[in-house]
Amino acid sequence: METRSTRVAFRSSVCVALLLAVALAVAGGYSAARPGPQGTVLVKQPVLQWRITPTGGLKITDCSMTLNGEKVDATYSVEVGALLYRPTQPLPAGDYSVECTVQFDNKWKPQQKWSFTVSKDALDSLPPPDDKQNEGLRAANGYRRALGLPDLQMEGSLCASAQAHAHFLKSNHVFGHFEKEGMANFVGVKPIDRVESFGHAGGVWEDVAMMRNTPSGFVDQLFNAPYHRLPYMQPGAVPFGMGCDGRFSCIDFGMTTTEGFITSPATNQVGIPTSWDGIELPSPLSVHGATGPVGYPIVCAYYAESIETVLVDSASLTGPAGDVPLWVNSSANDPELTNAIVLMAKSPLQPGVSYEVSVTAHTEAGKKLSKTWRFTTAVQ
């Protein structure tokens, strides 16, 4: 399946965000995503996973999975929306093939096949998260809770992938998302290759940066920039992994298919910064020929089973003195945006003031999106 990528970078902190969204194939009565892991796997007990969900009120009535032709005890997780199996014993190095069948209401019976190879250097088990990874998760979940979203869930495969990439960057004194085979500590060319190598199945959003101070500070610098904020805002259960090697840092977010129109700041959220320095490349301000500082970015994003283009119908920000002049970014004028809208007041906001935001939009498929809410800036 094809992937879509979006790259952004901070000028000062040298930070890059990449979205590799696994496109969902929709057939009558169900939707399904890329199964995994695929390619070369670097852990001996990877979780085999096929994300597939019924639509139109259908229910799963039967499912099965075989590994190298032998039936295994796979189970369907409604929470994850996937057929899952973790080998009970380490898999020897070699090639493996997987076949799955999921039946809906004794009517739809889609099948899926894929293959992977367990490396001779595969790990017996993934290492537990370290102090820096736990600090990063706590900081990220602080933002999640402020938005009224469930906590991110630490996933060993994403931690291993992020840590390996941070190590690759430091070892080779390079920066970015892509690795080159033959260089020291190479794992995989693209983020999707690396997360699958450690057993993750599904899409991935990746942020990399030269960490300024601490893991929590790294999370802060990413969240404050609108493009980087998008993976934090996903609704539902979202896997998370982080890795640091010196100042070289990486976060890998999994993706969910939970639908939601999410805004940041959230309804009635308080303590919002008044301004943002605008340092992000490609800059969301460049389409307007502007530079920072500007008002703290307001981000609205629609998440669903697939990444859908969102178009703005109207947007406004109202303060004590009336309408606030805005820069409005969307897929219509910003090539870095697809499912999101970014609003930026042309001047910093006032401290300790309540603002009202109103946004109406629609997806290309015709779904209407509308929300009016308030937030309050921090007292300085």
Side-chain angles (χ1 to χ4, degrees):
M1 291 188 176
E2 296 183 352
T3 59
R4 173 188 174 276
S5 64
T6 305
R7 279 177 277 175
V8 292
F10 280 109
R11 183 168 64 245
S12 63
S13 57
V14 194
C15 184
V16 183
L18 176 69
L19 162 63
L20 285 170
V22 176
L24 285 150
V26 179
Y30 70 91
S31 62
R34 171 187 170 101
Q38 299 185 36
T40 300
V41 176
L42 299 176
V43 60
K44 294 179 180 178
Q45 288 180 275
V47 176
L48 311 184
Q49 178 179 150
W50 183 28
R51 289 178 179 260
I52 179 168
T53 55
T55 59
L58 295 181
K59 295 181 180 179
I60 292 175
T61 53
D62 193 22
C63 56
S64 65
M65 179 186 291
T66 64
L67 180 61
N68 281 358
E70 297 290 332
K71 188 173 182 179
V72 296
D73 189 21
T75 58
Y76 187 84
S77 168
V78 175
E79 180 182 5
V80 179
L83 184 63
L84 305 170
Y85 173 69
R86 179 184 175 88
T88 56
Q89 299 293 329
L91 298 177
D95 298 330
Y96 293 87
S97 61
V98 185
E99 295 188 21
C100 294
T101 300
V102 176
Q103 190 165 356
F104 301 117
D105 285 355
N106 299 313
K107 181 180 180 181
W108 303 103
K109 199 172 182 178
Q111 297 178 318
Q112 181 64 268
K113 299 179 181 180
W114 74 94
S115 61
F116 64 93
T117 301
V118 175
S119 169
K120 62 181 178 60
D121 299 319
L123 301 171
D124 290 327
S125 61
L126 295 171
D130 61 24
D131 290 344
K132 290 183 178 180
Q133 291 166 332
N134 284 323
E135 179 185 337
L137 178 65
R138 287 192 297 271
N141 278 335
Y143 286 110
R144 295 276 294 180
R145 292 168 187 172
L147 298 179
L149 297 171
D151 281 359
L152 299 164
Q153 301 299 312
M154 190 79 85
E155 182 178 301
S157 59
L158 294 181
C159 279
S161 173
Q163 186 64 49
H165 189 53
H167 187 48
F168 170 87
L169 297 176
K170 183 180 180 182
S171 299
N172 295 284
H173 302 286
V174 295
F175 194 75
H177 292 287
F178 299 96
E179 298 185 2
K180 184 175 181 181
E181 192 166 2
M183 297 180 73
N185 300 305
F186 170 83
V187 175
V189 174
K190 303 184 296 295
I192 194 70
D193 301 326
R194 297 191 292 272
V195 298
E196 287 193 343
S197 290
F198 289 102
H200 176 77
V204 60
W205 305 66
E206 182 172 275
D207 288 352
V208 295
M210 298 298 292
M211 185 168 60
R212 289 178 179 172
N213 297 305
T214 64
S216 57
F218 170 54
V219 168
D220 293 340
Q221 73 189 72
L222 294 173
F223 189 88
N224 286 334
Y227 296 144
H228 292 76
R229 198 183 309 175
L230 291 172
Y232 291 90
M233 294 171 56
Q234 294 181 89
V238 179
F240 172 94
M242 181 174 176
C244 303
D245 192 344
R247 293 186 62 218
F248 291 88
S249 305
C250 176
I251 295 179
D252 285 332
F253 297 86
M255 301 183 70
T256 68
T257 58
T258 303
E259 183 180 4
F261 185 49
I262 310 301
T263 64
S264 170
T267 301
N268 296 326
Q269 191 174 348
V270 299
I272 302 304
T274 58
S275 65
W276 175 57
D277 58 16
I279 299 176
E280 191 173 19
L281 293 174
S283 170
L285 291 167
S286 65
V287 298
H288 308 290
T291 59
V294 294
Y296 189 75
I298 300 164
V299 182
C300 313
Y302 175 65
Y303 301 88
E305 289 182 329
S306 60
I307 294 178
E308 298 186 33
T309 299
V310 171
L311 301 169
V312 179
D313 298 314
S314 65
S316 65
L317 179 66
T318 306
D323 288 343
V324 177
L326 288 175
W327 300 120
V328 180
N329 289 40
S330 71
S331 60
N333 65 350
D334 189 334
E336 302 302 324
L337 295 176
T338 301
N339 66 319
I341 302 162
V342 176
L343 312 179
M344 294 169 288
K346 295 182 180 181
S347 301
L349 304 176
Q350 299 177 49
V353 166
S354 179
Y355 287 87
E356 181 177 277
V357 190
S358 184
V359 174
T360 59
H362 65 279
T363 69
E364 268 190 336
K367 183 178 179 65
K368 294 182 179 180
L369 306 170
S370 179
K371 186 173 181 179
T372 298
W373 76 103
R374 302 187 71 86
F375 67 86
T376 303
T377 55
V379 177
Q380 296 178 340

